[in-house]
């Protein structure tokens, strides 16, 4: 799967809308998208054609490596993220190979990143919804949150805020994930993987 250098990129940070979810582990995709928007010097605005907030801007140095990017935060709740992402894919005419989902990942230790193209949803409802709508050939930036302690149900774990110990390093890890997204968009998957797949 090759990406289309002339087409825009669509970077979807996955999460749930509303202040009660803002600091949840499940909302780390929103946190990364917010930081990317801040780096672009732009604010999220509600999109007229989709249940989502978007930022349009550019990533990368001036010249051929500069990329047009649409940052997206679906406002539909995690398990129906596919609807807004598909609507914006159609609106901005983004090929599937230029779509990136940034999401929390249970099967990776906290703060560890894994970038990949395609694959399964690993039980993640946001990815399940996007894959159902678009197929699986989009990029993922997987942000490790680790497994729940003891017998805590997964749903409870992902919908809780990061622990106080985790929060000490959260800004650093979110910053690194934003760097990884930029590297993926500007330099391509292989170079981004070699730099950030720890």
């Amino acid at each position: 799967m090759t990406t289309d250098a002339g087409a825009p990129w669509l970077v979807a940070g996955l999460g749930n809308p509303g202040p009660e979810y803002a600091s949840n582990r499940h909302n780390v995709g929103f946190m990364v998208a917010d930081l990317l928007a801040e780096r672009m010097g732009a604010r999220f605005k509600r999109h007229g054609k989709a249940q989502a907030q978007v930022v349009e801007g550019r990533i990368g140095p001036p010249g051929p490596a500069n990329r047009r990017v649409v940052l997206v935060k679906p406002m539909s709740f995690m398990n129906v993220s596919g609807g807004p992402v598909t609507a914006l894919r159609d609106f901005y005419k983004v090929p599937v190979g230029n779509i990136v989902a940034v999401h929390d990942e249970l099967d990776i230790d906290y703060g560890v990143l894994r970038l990949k193209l395609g694959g399964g949803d690993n039980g993640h409802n946001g990815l399940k919804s996007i894959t159902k709508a678009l197929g699986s050939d989009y990029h993922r930036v997987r942000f490790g949150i680790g497994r729940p302690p003891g017998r805590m149900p997964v749903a409870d774990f992902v919908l809780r805020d990061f622990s106080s110990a985790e929060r000490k390093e959260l800004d650093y890890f979110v910053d690194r994930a934003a760097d990884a997204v930029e590297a993926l968009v500007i330099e391509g998957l292989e170079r981004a993987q070699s730099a950030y797949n720890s």
Side-chain angles (χ1 to χ4, degrees):
M1 158 89 35
T2 56
T3 58
D4 182 342
W9 283 76
L10 192 154
V11 176
L14 301 187
N16 287 307
E20 66 272 35
Y21 299 107
S23 301
N24 289 178
R25 292 181 178 93
H26 221 21
N27 270 43
V28 75
F30 275 17
M31 297 173 198
V32 175
D34 284 337
L35 180 56
L36 287 165
E38 193 181 306
R39 290 180 180 184
M40 288 181 181
R43 295 176 91 94
F44 277 97
K45 296 191 173 105
R46 190 163 283 281
H47 195 276
K49 301 287 184 188
Q51 196 177 354
Q53 292 184 351
V54 301
V55 162
E56 296 178 56
R58 301 193 82 85
I59 285 177
N66 193 260
R67 302 278 184 264
R68 184 174 161 227
V69 173
V70 181
L71 299 176
V72 179
K73 293 197 297 184
M75 293 286 119
S76 58
F77 287 97
M78 178 71 85
N79 60 353
V80 285
S81 300
V85 171
T86 302
L88 293 167
R89 185 274 314 259
D90 294 345
F91 182 82
Y92 290 103
K93 298 180 171 51
V94 180
V96 173
N98 281 30
I99 294 174
V100 183
V102 185
H103 63 93
D104 58 305
E105 178 62 64
L106 285 161
D107 286 336
I108 304 174
D109 290 340
Y110 173 60
V112 172
L113 297 176
R114 291 276 188 277
L115 283 67
K116 71 173 191 173
L117 174 64
D121 57 57
N122 206 21
H124 192 289
N125 288 331
L127 296 182
K128 206 174 281 184
S129 177
I130 294 171
T131 297
K132 187 176 176 189
L134 298 176
S136 63
D137 289 335
Y138 56 92
H139 291 87
R140 298 100 189 274
V141 174
R142 304 157 74 207
F143 186 110
I145 60 168
R147 301 293 307 183
R151 295 171 179 264
M152 184 189 290
V154 165
D156 291 350
F157 179 69
V158 300
L159 293 174
R160 286 202 179 162
D161 291 357
F162 287 99
S163 70
S164 55
E166 288 169 335
R167 282 199 297 273
K168 288 176 183 162
E169 295 183 289
L170 182 59
D171 287 350
Y172 168 76
F173 289 139
V174 168
D175 194 68
R176 193 163 181 273
D179 290 346
V181 172
E182 291 180 344
L184 170 60
V185 169
I186 297 163
E187 300 174 31
L189 179 62
E190 283 186 22
R191 289 184 71 173
Q193 282 176 324
S194 65
Y196 292 97
N197 277 18
S198 38

